[in-house]
């Protein structure tokens, strides 16, 4: 089997489901485009002689049954949904890579000892409805029906109605599978690290934990012309000090710690008034929980210190506190060996700064991740792309890992 031609054929086919004139895809959960892609994948699984499995919410898989240990499953895949005006690789590449790798192994080595299952997860992005990881959370019976019963998309369509219209429903059972011995997800990096460092494969050792805050500083709004500098309680000046101090500290601690002030809203936000209030977000991430916690303490202490020094009231709301997720050491080792063998050692061990379905899986089954580079680090964008040779190398590495796990 020619992996390159197989990938190009499959990628062109699936990109047509929600494909945009300017390139890229919009394929949202339970949309017609999403349903067409799911149906096409089921058809391919059946054509390949894989056992098709599907659950109530739209997760589907194709299973190549093992010869000596059919009850033990090695699984690989990703999510089939996209963001609005997203690329053709985020999620889709992970499913197609798993499918092609499994077909390649079947043709070259025949039936595996353990079953190999290609998984398509219904949703990860949260782009249509305000709920993420619907697919993987349902896979492990972690989704709460109450969380989605009343939510709607931007057009006012209720989650429940869209689900029923697509032919799916809530789970009726609490059963969680116990046959999965390994889950391996391959994904584009969605960042610039591999490209900048000239590495072809990323060996993911963990997915970062995240802490997100909404902070409100309240000083005093006043006339911009008649209020002397020494008598001001300027909220923008205060946040400027916070940003500068904490950014310098994050740079001092170094990678992989990141810090972002992504949303800043001053009030009254007009040219001739000293801003008396500012609301801003803080997002910080690290793969080490201890370092993340320590830096979060510094964030809060710095904000309170600056507020006190500037005679301001402050409200700090920590509304996201996700712990880091580490990948399985045994699978990391197998990915390292595969990258050493097939990519001539041209790899980098690295954390993922973005969330993935693997962070849900890793809490329940041995899990590993493989990255391939993203051109200019672009993702969640119609311009999202990866060099063909890197995509193919990723599939080859994945196939070798699946061979080691299943054969």
């Amino acid at each position: 089997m020619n992996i390159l031609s197989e990938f190009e054929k499959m990628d062109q086919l699936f990109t047509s489901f929600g494909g945009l004139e300017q390139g890229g895809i919009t394929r949202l959960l339970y949309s017609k485009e999403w349903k067409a892609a799911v149906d096409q994948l089921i058809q391919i699984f059946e054509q390949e002689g894989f056992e098709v499995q599907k659950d109530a919410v739209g997760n589907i898989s194709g299973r190549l049954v093992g010869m000596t240990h059919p009850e033990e499953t090695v699984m690989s895949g990703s999510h089939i949904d996209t963001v609005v005006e997203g690329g053709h690789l985020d999620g889709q590449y992970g499913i197609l890579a798993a499918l092609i790798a499994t077909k390649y192994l079947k043709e070259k080595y025949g039936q595996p000892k353990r079953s190999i299952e290609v998984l398509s997860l219904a949703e990860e992005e949260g782009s249509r409805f305000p709920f993420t990881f619907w697919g993987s959370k349902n896979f492990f019976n972690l989704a709460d029906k109450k969380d989605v019963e009343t939510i709607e998309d931007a057009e006012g369509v209720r989650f429940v109605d869209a689900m029923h219209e697509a032919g799916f429903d809530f789970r009726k059972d609490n059963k969680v599978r116990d046959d999965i011995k390994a889950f391996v997800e391959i994904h584009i990096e969605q960042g610039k690290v591999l490209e900048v460092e000239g590495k072809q494969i990323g060996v993911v050792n963990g997915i970062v934990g995240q802490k997100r805050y909404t902070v409100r500083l309240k000083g005093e709004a006043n006339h911009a012309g008649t209020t002397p500098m020494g008598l001001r309680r300027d909220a923008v000046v205060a946040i400027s000090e916070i940003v500068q101090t904490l950014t310098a500290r994050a740079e001092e601690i170094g990678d992989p710690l990141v810090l972002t002030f992504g949303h800043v809203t001053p009030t009254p936000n007009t040219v001739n008034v000293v801003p008396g209030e500012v609301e801003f977000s803080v997002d910080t991430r690290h793969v080490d929980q201890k370092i993340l916690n320590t830096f979060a303490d510094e964030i809060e202490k710095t904000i309170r210190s600056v507020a006190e020094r500037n005679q301001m009231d402050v409200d700090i709301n920590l509304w996201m506190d996700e712990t880091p997720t580490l990948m399985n050491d045994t699978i990391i080792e197998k990915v390292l060996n595969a990258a050493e063998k097939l990519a001539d050692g041209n790899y980098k061990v690295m954390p993922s700064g973005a969330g993935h379905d693997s962070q849900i899986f890793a809490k329940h089954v041995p899990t590993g991740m493989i990255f391939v580079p993203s051109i200019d680090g672009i993702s969640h964008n119609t311009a999202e792309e990866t060099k063909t040779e890197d995509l193919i190398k990723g599939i080859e590495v994945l196939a070798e890992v699946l061979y080691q796990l299943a054969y």
Side-chain angles (χ1 to χ4, degrees), residues 212-220 233-236 238-239 242 261 263-267 275-282 299-300 302-308 310-319:
R212 294 184 186 177
Y213 297 88
T214 297
V215 182
R216 190 172 289 106
L217 282 172
K218 189 171 184 180
E220 182 180 68
R233 294 165 60 202
D234 188 327
V236 167
I239 187 185
I242 290 166
F261 299 87
H263 171 79
V264 179
T265 304
T267 302
E277 188 172 330
V278 64
E279 182 178 281
F280 61 97
S281 65
V282 184
I299 288 173
E300 295 183 25
T302 298
I303 292 171
R304 294 190 191 282
S305 175
V306 171
E308 183 179 355
N310 287 274
Q311 302 176 31
M312 294 182 181
D313 295 327
V314 62
D315 177 66
I316 302 174
N317 176 28
L318 175 63
W319 57 271

Side-chain angles (χ1 to χ4, degrees), residues 1 3 64-67 100-114 116 341-342 396 398-407:
M1 185 179 81
I3 292 177
L64 177 59
V65 178
M67 183 167 48
I100 294 166
T102 303
K103 288 180 60 178
Y104 169 81
L105 291 172
K106 179 186 176 185
E107 287 187 16
K108 187 169 184 179
Y109 300 106
Q111 191 176 3
K113 293 178 181 177
R114 296 179 178 85
I116 301 178
K341 174 182 176 181
L342 296 168
E396 292 173 352
L398 175 62
E400 176 65 20
V401 173
L402 296 180
Y403 174 82
Q404 295 299 327
L405 289 168
Y407 282 82

Side-chain angles (χ1 to χ4, degrees), residues 336-395:
L336 282 170
N337 292 338
E340 188 70 48
K341 174 182 176 181
L342 296 168
D344 298 321
N346 189 20
Y347 63 84
K348 178 182 177 66
V349 179
M350 62 189 299
S352 170
H356 298 285
D357 288 305
S358 286
Q359 71 192 66
I360 306 296
F361 273 77
K363 293 178 173 66
H364 302 274
V365 300
T367 298
M369 279 201 82
I370 303 166
F371 277 167
V372 293
S374 296
I375 294 175
D376 293 330
I378 294 173
S379 184
H380 284 188
N381 186 312
T382 57
E384 172 186 281
E385 198 55 83
T386 292
K387 293 179 181 177
T388 301
E389 56 264 35
D390 293 337
L391 293 170
I392 302 310
K393 186 59 66 179
I395 296 173

Side-chain angles (χ1 to χ4, degrees), residues 215-290:
V215 182
R216 190 172 289 106
L217 282 172
K218 189 171 184 180
E220 182 180 68
N222 219 323
H223 197 291
T226 63
T227 309
M229 296 302 289
L231 299 179
R232 297 185 178 203
R233 294 165 60 202
D234 188 327
V236 167
V237 170
I239 187 185
S240 299
E241 182 180 347
I242 290 166
V243 171
Q244 185 176 28
T245 301
L246 289 174
T247 299
R249 180 61 179 139
E251 291 173 346
E252 180 183 346
I253 294 170
D255 296 338
L257 179 72
V258 292
L259 172 71
T260 305
F261 299 87
H263 171 79
V264 179
T265 304
T267 302
N269 197 20
T270 188
V271 66
N272 60 348
V273 179
V274 176
E277 188 172 330
V278 64
E279 182 178 281
F280 61 97
S281 65
V282 184
D283 179 312
T284 186
R285 312 183 187 197
H286 200 285
V287 75
D288 185 301
Q289 184 71 63
K290 184 177 180 181

